[in-house]
């Protein structure tokens, strides 16, 4: 589907029926097309790309570069297969590129660290094994090859029709990038800014010390941009970036308030706090105990990300007690 002159959006299906589709963008150029995000590594995703390009009268072999906004499987998974088919270069921010092996190849160390982190933060023994391995199935839908190009903030990606500035926007992932087309006034935001949901920002062994603090700074970095169209990694294209950013910031303020309220009951682990705040799945509220394993783990790491930011802001203190990490309000 053509979303702007020379820019096509292809809905790339997720594996199974439950996953939401990834938006793959094809940026036309006489000297080669640029593809932004690849979708999961599956036959269905490859078909979607082939058919989507055919419908736009474009050829797969004319892709010259595949730019990945971040290394989550729904964005990065298929990139290596596209390179094998048409010889395109794959480009990823240096920080996310460094995590490919840790995350998708030699992941036993990461699982161990995730288990330690979850245990420390109050996840009970009988839930640990499911939660620590809750994301492993996704590895089947990724070909974990290193990129050809390591990107940095401020790099330029172009063909003869478009010129994008790489904006490093850590938070959802430490090496997340957005692509800003200044002249045409649009931005491709990956999972950094979505219209229908607030992106997951969690504290985990690869996230850095204060991922939510990073995320908020990265959001504010986009506020100054003059853009008319926002092309996200999932969901509809939209306008009014400033308004959407304000709503996401408000959401995190509300979350922080809910966490502070639950801390009035005294010292608690992130797991105990996560059980007291409401969670949204597919637009509806779901109690923590009814969440699927993967969503439960995201709820705990997301609560932790808020607690790390509140600690940084001096509103919360962290106490270590017999190996358990507990939080207390300073308000
Ligand atoms: Zn993501
Ligand atoms: Zn995504």
């Amino acid at each position: 589907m053509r979303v702007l002159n020379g820019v096509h959006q292809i809905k790339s299906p997720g594996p199974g029926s439950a996953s939401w589709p990834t938006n793959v963008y094809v940026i036309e150029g006489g000297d080669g097309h640029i593809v932004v995000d690849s979708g999961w590594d599956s036959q269905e995703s490859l078909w979607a790309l082939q058919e989507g390009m055919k419908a736009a009268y474009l050829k797969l072999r004319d892709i010259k570069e595949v730019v990945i906004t971040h290394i989550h499987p729904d964005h990065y998974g298929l990139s290596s297969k596209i390179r094998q088919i048409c010889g395109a270069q794959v480009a990823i921010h240096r920080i996310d590129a460094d995590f490919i092996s840790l995350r998708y190849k030699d992941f036993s160390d990461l699982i161990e660290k995730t288990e330690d982190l979850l245990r420390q933060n109050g996840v009970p023994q009988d839930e640990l094994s499911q939660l620590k391995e809750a994301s492993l199935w996704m590895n089947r839908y990724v070909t974990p090859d290193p990129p050809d190009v390591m990107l940095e903030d401020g790099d330029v990606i172009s063909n003869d029709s478009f010129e994008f500035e790489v904006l490093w926007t850590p938070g959802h992932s430490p090496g997340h990038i957005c692509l800003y087309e200044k002249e045409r006034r649009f931005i491709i935001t990956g999972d950094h800014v979505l219209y229908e949901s607030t992106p997951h920002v969690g504290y985990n062994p690869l996230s850095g010390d204060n991922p939510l603090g990073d995320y908020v700074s990265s959001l504010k970095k986009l506020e100054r941009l003059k853009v008319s169209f926002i092309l996200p990694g999932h969901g509809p294209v939209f306008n009014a970036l400033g308004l959407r950013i304000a709503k996401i910031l408000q959401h995190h303020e509300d979350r922080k308030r809910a966490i502070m309220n639950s801390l009035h009951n005294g010292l608690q682990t992130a797991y105990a706090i996560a059980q007291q705040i409401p969670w949204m799945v597919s637009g509806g509220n779901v109690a923590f105990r009814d969440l699927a394993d993967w969503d439960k783990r995201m709820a705990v790491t997301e609560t932790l990300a808020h607690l790390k930011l509140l600690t940084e802001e001096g509103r919360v203190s962290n106490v270590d007690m017999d190996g358990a990490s507990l939080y207390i309000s300073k308000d």
Side-chain angles (χ1 to χ4, degrees):
M1 182 181 78
R2 197 182 73 121
V3 288
L4 294 170
N5 206 1
V7 181
H8 307 270
Q9 184 193 67
I10 295 168
K11 294 278 178 201
S12 182
S17 54
S19 302
W20 30 321
T22 305
N23 294 332
V24 171
Y25 293 98
V26 182
I27 318 290
E28 269 186 62
D31 60 342
H33 312 310
I34 299 166
V35 167
V36 182
D37 285 338
S38 68
W40 302 79
D41 182 359
S42 70
Q43 194 61 49
E44 290 80 5
S45 297
L46 189 57
W47 278 334
L49 180 66
Q50 271 166 336
E51 291 304 310
M53 289 192 69
K54 212 200 275 177
Y57 302 102
L58 303 174
K59 294 191 175 73
L60 212 60
R61 66 161 186 265
D62 293 333
I63 300 171
K64 69 165 189 164
E65 189 158 13
V66 183
V67 184
I68 302 301
T69 59
H70 62 298
I71 56 151
H72 290 168
D74 51 333
H75 299 259
Y76 158 70
L78 190 69
S79 56
S80 191
K81 290 268 167 70
I82 301 174
R83 169 173 46 203
Q84 286 165 26
I85 292 168
C86 61
Q89 287 203 318
V90 175
I92 305 178
H93 189 277
R94 177 183 46 81
I95 296 177
D96 266 23
D98 283 347
F99 290 146
I100 289 171
S101 184
L102 278 175
R103 200 184 154 114
Y104 297 118
K105 282 188 194 162
D106 310 312
F107 48 79
S108 57
D109 186 52
L110 180 61
I111 293 196
E112 212 170 285
K113 283 186 176 142
T114 304
E115 182 177 12
D116 289 347
L117 180 81
L118 295 172
R119 185 188 295 110
Q120 258 171 29
N121 285 285
V123 174
Q125 196 62 33
D126 60 340
E127 283 182 44
L128 263 180
S129 58
Q130 295 104 285
L131 294 207
K132 76 172 180 187
E133 291 177 354
S135 61
L136 269 188
W137 66 272
M138 296 182 193
N139 292 8
R140 274 190 286 142
Y141 301 97
V142 175
T143 301
D145 290 331
D148 306 287
V149 181
M150 301 269 209
L151 297 171
E152 296 285 352
D153 189 46
D155 281 354
V156 172
I157 287 166
S158 62
N159 57 20
D160 61 4
S161 309
F162 294 86
E163 184 173 295
F164 295 93
E165 182 186 346
V166 172
L167 302 179
W168 178 45
T169 49
H172 174 72
S173 173
H176 192 290
I177 57 163
C178 294
L179 294 178
Y180 174 41
E181 227 298 352
K182 193 175 177 185
E183 194 101 334
R184 311 272 187 111
R185 293 166 78 105
F186 73 92
I187 186 166
I188 301 176
T189 54
D191 282 355
H192 185 50
V193 187
L194 304 171
Y195 186 70
E196 291 170 323
S197 61
T198 48
H200 167 70
V201 179
Y203 177 85
N204 62 58
L206 302 179
S207 69
D209 293 339
N210 185 8
L212 188 56
D214 296 339
Y215 179 71
V216 168
S217 308
S218 299
L219 267 187
K220 290 184 173 161
K221 189 172 169 181
L222 301 194
E223 272 178 337
R224 63 179 169 84
L225 304 180
K226 292 190 170 42
V227 289
S228 307
F229 299 96
I230 298 93
L231 280 49
H234 305 275
V237 170
F238 61 101
N239 322 102
L241 179 62
L243 211 61
R244 185 65 197 137
I245 289 175
K247 278 211 162 159
I248 297 174
L249 289 173
Q250 186 56 50
H251 162 83
H252 288 296
E253 284 307 314
D254 294 346
R255 268 283 122 121
K256 276 158 56 178
R257 197 170 318 116
I259 289 173
M260 290 308 290
N261 282 341
S262 67
L263 281 174
H264 289 140
N265 303 327
L267 270 174
Q268 288 178 76
T269 61
Y271 178 79
I273 297 165
Q275 287 171 305
Q276 298 166 56
I277 47 184
W279 297 97
M280 291 267 276
V281 178
S282 314
N285 276 330
V286 180
F288 180 85
R289 64 174 180 280
D290 297 326
L291 292 173
D293 290 339
W294 170 240
D295 290 323
K296 240 182 212 178
R297 184 165 116 191
M298 289 207 289
V300 175
T301 60
E302 209 164 298
T303 304
L304 256 179
H306 281 93
L307 287 164
K308 297 284 174 189
L309 179 58
L310 285 163
T311 308
E312 187 75 23
E313 291 171 352
R315 299 178 62 193
V316 154
S317 276
N318 180 221
V319 204
D320 194 25
M321 225 179 254
D322 302 326
S325 187
L326 296 156
Y327 290 85
I328 188 166
S329 167
K330 288 166 86 179
D331 278 3

